[in-house]
Amino acid sequence: MHKSKIKPVLYSVLSFFLTLVLFLLSVFMVLKTTIFSKEYMYGVMNSSGYYAMVKTELIAELQSLGKASGFDDEFSEKFVNSLDIQDSVEKYISSFYSGESTLVDTISFKQQLYKAIDQYIIDKNYSNVSNDSIDYFVNSAADIYINQISIPFFSTIANYIYKASPYITIIILVLFAAALAIMAIIFFTNKYRHRRFRYLCYGLSGACLTTVVIPCFVFLSGKIPQINISTRSLYNLFVNYFNGLFMNFWIYVIITLIFALFTLFFYIKYYKKACSQEA
């Protein structure tokens, strides 16, 4: 019986494109659920203890500033503990994903600080306090507050995240439809069932292998812990953020592996059946 030499090549090409489409689908799904998701950022901040570390660092810096201005350490600690750092950070992060201004709001911070200073002066019975000195302290404290709340480089990519977000969803839907179409062509145009599952197994196995390369390369290179960031809070945030991002790839590695094993099982089953019929 004459066997076509073109069909195996065509189905191999389809398997290759299935691998490519599923790989890209995994990448964009990871991006959608991490970089393009503020909930992911909030989750990382909570799990890494980011808010508590920001508060600790803010207290330390305001205490250093306060010593030069005549404030004791207790004043700075009490004032910072009265602030809702988590709310301020989440509003700042939320602005990136809504296309709003990404500037840290210091109006409320300054108002609360002026109020705390007035109460401190009353409690300590101070007199002849220079308003210029108070203004200088408040403005300097506001600069420190901005540096603690803001995240370097995030404001640079914020505009791109906001503009690209709708397109990411469209790309995911197109890739998903393309994957289904390729699988349908492989499955319904093959006369023999074992060949259907063989080429599907090729595509799924290839997607699994190509996807697993990304997290393996990143973790084995050890580059993430080597990030050079000045503050402990930002260091922990970035390390946990990127570790979580690349860990998400394992979800799609496992999914494609399961389906690849599934198709492999049916390929072997129907291949043995075909061999027994020919015999």
Side-chain angles (χ1 to χ4, degrees), residues 175-196:
L175 289 171
F176 184 75
L180 288 178
I182 294 171
M183 287 189 285
I185 292 170
I186 292 174
F187 192 85
F188 292 111
T189 59
N190 256 305
K191 179 180 178 181
Y192 300 101
R193 286 180 289 185
H194 67 281
R195 292 180 183 176
R196 299 173 183 174

Side-chain angles (χ1 to χ4, degrees), residues 103-127:
L103 297 175
V104 177
D105 181 18
T106 59
I107 295 175
S108 178
F109 174 84
K110 288 183 176 181
Q111 289 174 344
Q112 291 181 69
L113 185 52
Y114 274 119
K115 185 177 179 180
I117 291 172
D118 290 340
Q119 187 61 47
Y120 182 81
I121 292 172
I122 293 171
D123 293 341
K124 296 294 183 179
N125 293 319
Y126 288 153
S127 59

Side-chain angles (χ1 to χ4, degrees), residues 86-106:
Q86 182 171 343
D87 182 65
S88 299
V89 173
E90 288 185 354
K91 284 181 179 177
Y92 171 73
I93 296 299
S94 180
S95 65
F96 289 107
Y97 295 92
S98 60
E100 299 173 358
S101 172
T102 56
L103 297 175
V104 177
D105 181 18
T106 59

Side-chain angles (χ1 to χ4, degrees), residues 125-190:
N125 293 319
Y126 288 153
S127 59
N128 298 323
V129 179
S130 171
N131 288 330
D132 290 339
S133 298
I134 294 175
D135 290 340
Y136 174 79
F137 175 78
V138 170
N139 289 327
S140 299
D143 290 337
I144 293 172
Y145 176 75
I146 291 171
N147 289 332
Q148 285 296 328
I149 298 298
S150 59
I151 300 176
F153 307 114
F154 213 54
S155 58
T156 306
I157 65 171
N159 191 45
Y160 297 104
I161 291 175
Y162 174 70
K163 289 182 177 179
S165 186
Y167 298 103
I168 294 294
T169 302
I170 295 172
I171 291 171
I172 289 172
L173 292 174
V174 169
L175 289 171
F176 184 75
L180 288 178
I182 294 171
M183 287 189 285
I185 292 170
I186 292 174
F187 192 85
F188 292 111
T189 59
N190 256 305

Side-chain angles (χ1 to χ4, degrees), residues 245-261:
L245 187 154
F246 289 108
M247 281 297 292
N248 268 266
F249 279 98
W250 288 105
I251 297 173
Y252 300 99
V253 169
I254 293 170
I255 291 172
T256 51
L257 177 61
I258 290 171
F259 280 103
L261 292 173

